[in-house]
Amino acid sequence: MRKIEKRSSVEVRIGNVLIGNGNPVVVQSMTNTDTADALATANQVAALALSGSELVRITVNNDEAAKAVPEILERLLEQGLTVPLVGDFHYNGHLLLNRYPACARALAKYRINPGNVGAGKHRDENFKQMIEVAKENEKPIRIGVNWGSLDQSLLSRLMDDNATLSNPLDSRQVMLKAIVESALESAILAESYGLPHDRIILSAKVSGVQDLIDVYRTMASRCDYPLHLGLTEAGMGTKGIVSSTAALSILLQEGIGDTIRVSLTPAPEGDRTEEVLVCQQILQSLDIRSFFPQVTACPGCGRTTSTLFQKMADQIQVYLRSQMPEWRNQYQGVEDLKVAVMGCVVNGPGESKQANIGISLPGTGEDPKAPVFVDGQFTTTLRGKNIVKEFLNILNRYVKSNYDRRDNLN
């Protein structure tokens, strides 16, 4: 993995997770269950955690949700899961945190949106109440500004100030400036109420890729707080994945960002864990972190017997993912394994030699034989109907012989 110097020099502890100050970029996700349904929420948190989410945020929007938080945590601990829970508060967080101290203790972090923490003259007082609870319970907070719920009084003030300038900014520029100012002013206010500097994380989410890049570049240049990255509404399917990848990759490449989330709109009855896998793939594609073995496969062309190599590539990838929970606990570094499944002899041997294990399948019109390369060296040729099974046997032997068993390291 290549080393990227993070702009954040501050380290924040959230439960058993460290953020900022050069620690690995952390993957986050959020449930979409009714938090008041403790069983359903605990089950979804567990699924997200088991898929690799290192922090999970849950909505705490009413009395029933706040009452359910301790039970959710208890259910997770019974499964041996210690993933930190983040409470997402809007409008009434100051009431719920004070009304339900068990909820305040069970959460590992509070997310506060300064745009709707209160209204009018009560805003700062409501914000202060939440900070007081965070101090009392020694919890960090995320000040999460969102362009869709921006502090309108701050925006109006900046609009008025801008109108007096000889060269005023356009409305987009003022909006982005207001987003940054809201986050930074709220952080300063939190510290003025006694919250330590190393218990604050900032985020400033927008929907546009270029807007997000501009906002975070500005914030990173003006503060040393850890930053949480993500589009606020990424969208569905390929749109959400591509937009999030485009925005996050540029910022991460520049060393900006300490935690990330891909806020995908799931398909009906879709799998919520997809957003976790996308986060992991972004980080792994950038060589920032490794989570699971990577399978390189060619796209196919007129030379390939498409169904054969496509099915094999899919079977191998599914097998690797199914094995990773066990392998991760058994073998150190196995997540860095690289496998190549190629469709013909044009690029197949060359790509196979670059992987730890690679196979070049026969293309259309070629002999039905598949050479296998291990660490760049030709090892054997597979033939017949059992190519997949035999290749997986080679893969298993490679893992056992090339990665140290964790129980031997203790």
Side-chain angles (χ1 to χ4, degrees), residues 219-293:
M219 281 215 304
S221 70
R222 293 185 57 187
C223 74
D224 62 357
Y225 299 109
L227 301 179
H228 169 65
L229 306 183
L231 294 171
T232 186
E233 300 109 0
M236 296 185 69
T238 55
K239 188 271 180 187
I241 293 172
V242 172
S243 295
S244 294
T245 302
L248 270 58
S249 294
I250 290 173
L251 293 168
L252 291 167
Q253 186 74 10
E254 295 178 3
I256 299 172
D258 301 279
T259 78
I260 64 171
R261 182 191 173 204
V262 172
S263 301
L264 294 180
T265 302
E269 307 302 324
D271 189 348
R272 189 69 167 180
T273 64
E274 181 184 11
E275 66 177 48
V276 178
L277 299 179
V278 174
C279 284
Q280 292 175 326
Q281 191 61 62
I282 290 172
L283 293 173
Q284 190 148 350
S285 295
L286 291 171
D287 284 335
I288 293 174
R289 289 187 67 182
S290 290
F291 297 93
F292 38 76

Side-chain angles (χ1 to χ4, degrees), residues 158-343:
L158 293 181
M159 287 288 190
D160 291 341
D161 292 344
N162 184 63
T164 66
L165 300 177
S166 57
N167 293 304
L169 304 173
D170 61 35
S171 58
R172 171 188 175 273
Q173 291 173 308
V174 177
M175 169 74 77
L176 298 185
K177 182 179 179 181
I179 291 170
V180 173
E181 294 299 331
S182 178
L184 296 177
E185 289 183 8
S186 296
I188 293 171
L189 188 60
E191 289 196 51
S192 75
Y193 294 147
L195 191 69
H197 190 75
D198 63 356
R199 288 194 198 150
I200 298 174
I201 296 170
L202 300 185
S203 69
K205 292 190 174 185
V206 294
S207 296
V209 171
Q210 296 295 346
D211 291 345
L212 191 83
I213 293 168
D214 288 347
V215 163
Y216 275 92
R217 280 174 173 167
T218 301
M219 281 215 304
S221 70
R222 293 185 57 187
C223 74
D224 62 357
Y225 299 109
L227 301 179
H228 169 65
L229 306 183
L231 294 171
T232 186
E233 300 109 0
M236 296 185 69
T238 55
K239 188 271 180 187
I241 293 172
V242 172
S243 295
S244 294
T245 302
L248 270 58
S249 294
I250 290 173
L251 293 168
L252 291 167
Q253 186 74 10
E254 295 178 3
I256 299 172
D258 301 279
T259 78
I260 64 171
R261 182 191 173 204
V262 172
S263 301
L264 294 180
T265 302
E269 307 302 324
D271 189 348
R272 189 69 167 180
T273 64
E274 181 184 11
E275 66 177 48
V276 178
L277 299 179
V278 174
C279 284
Q280 292 175 326
Q281 191 61 62
I282 290 172
L283 293 173
Q284 190 148 350
S285 295
L286 291 171
D287 284 335
I288 293 174
R289 289 187 67 182
S290 290
F291 297 93
F292 38 76
Q294 298 288 282
V295 177
T296 299
C298 70
C301 67
R303 291 182 56 84
T304 56
T305 306
S306 297
T307 56
L308 178 58
F309 89 90
Q310 288 174 352
K311 288 179 180 178
M312 185 169 182
D314 181 64
Q315 289 172 353
I316 291 171
Q317 184 148 290
V318 169
Y319 179 79
L320 289 171
R321 287 190 182 275
S322 69
Q323 289 296 110
M324 272 309 292
E326 179 180 347
W327 282 355
R328 188 179 289 111
N329 291 328
Q330 289 185 342
Y331 302 104
Q332 186 177 37
V334 69
E335 61 272 10
D336 292 320
L337 176 69
K338 291 181 172 57
V339 179
V341 182
M342 305 304 294

Side-chain angles (χ1 to χ4, degrees), residues 324-398:
M324 272 309 292
E326 179 180 347
W327 282 355
R328 188 179 289 111
N329 291 328
Q330 289 185 342
Y331 302 104
Q332 186 177 37
V334 69
E335 61 272 10
D336 292 320
L337 176 69
K338 291 181 172 57
V339 179
V341 182
M342 305 304 294
C344 77
V345 298
V346 174
N347 294 317
E351 287 281 358
S352 296
K353 291 177 182 178
Q354 298 302 313
N356 297 115
I357 305 176
I359 186 169
S360 178
L361 295 172
T364 301
E366 296 167 9
D367 293 334
K369 58 184 181 181
V372 176
F373 298 83
V374 176
D375 288 331
Q377 301 298 314
F378 169 76
T379 301
T380 187
T381 297
L382 303 181
R383 296 177 174 85
K385 298 180 179 180
N386 294 320
I387 288 178
V388 174
K389 181 178 179 180
E390 293 175 15
F391 185 76
L392 291 178
N393 287 336
I394 294 172
L395 194 155
N396 283 320
R397 289 196 297 270
Y398 184 91

Side-chain angles (χ1 to χ4, degrees), residues 5 61 67 71-72 79 98 100 104 108 141-142 184 210 240 260 262 301 315 340 369 400-401:
E5 296 296 335
N61 59 331
K67 290 177 185 176
E71 180 183 344
I72 293 167
Q79 299 178 58
N98 281 291
Y100 300 99
I141 67 168
R142 170 159 70 94
L184 296 177
Q210 296 295 346
I260 64 171
V262 172
C301 67
Q315 289 172 353
K369 58 184 181 181
K400 291 178 181 179
S401 62

Side-chain angles (χ1 to χ4, degrees), residues 102-120:
C103 169
R105 291 191 298 269
L107 294 169
K109 183 179 73 171
Y110 313 149
R111 184 277 174 111
I112 305 173
N113 184 338
N116 58 30
V117 74

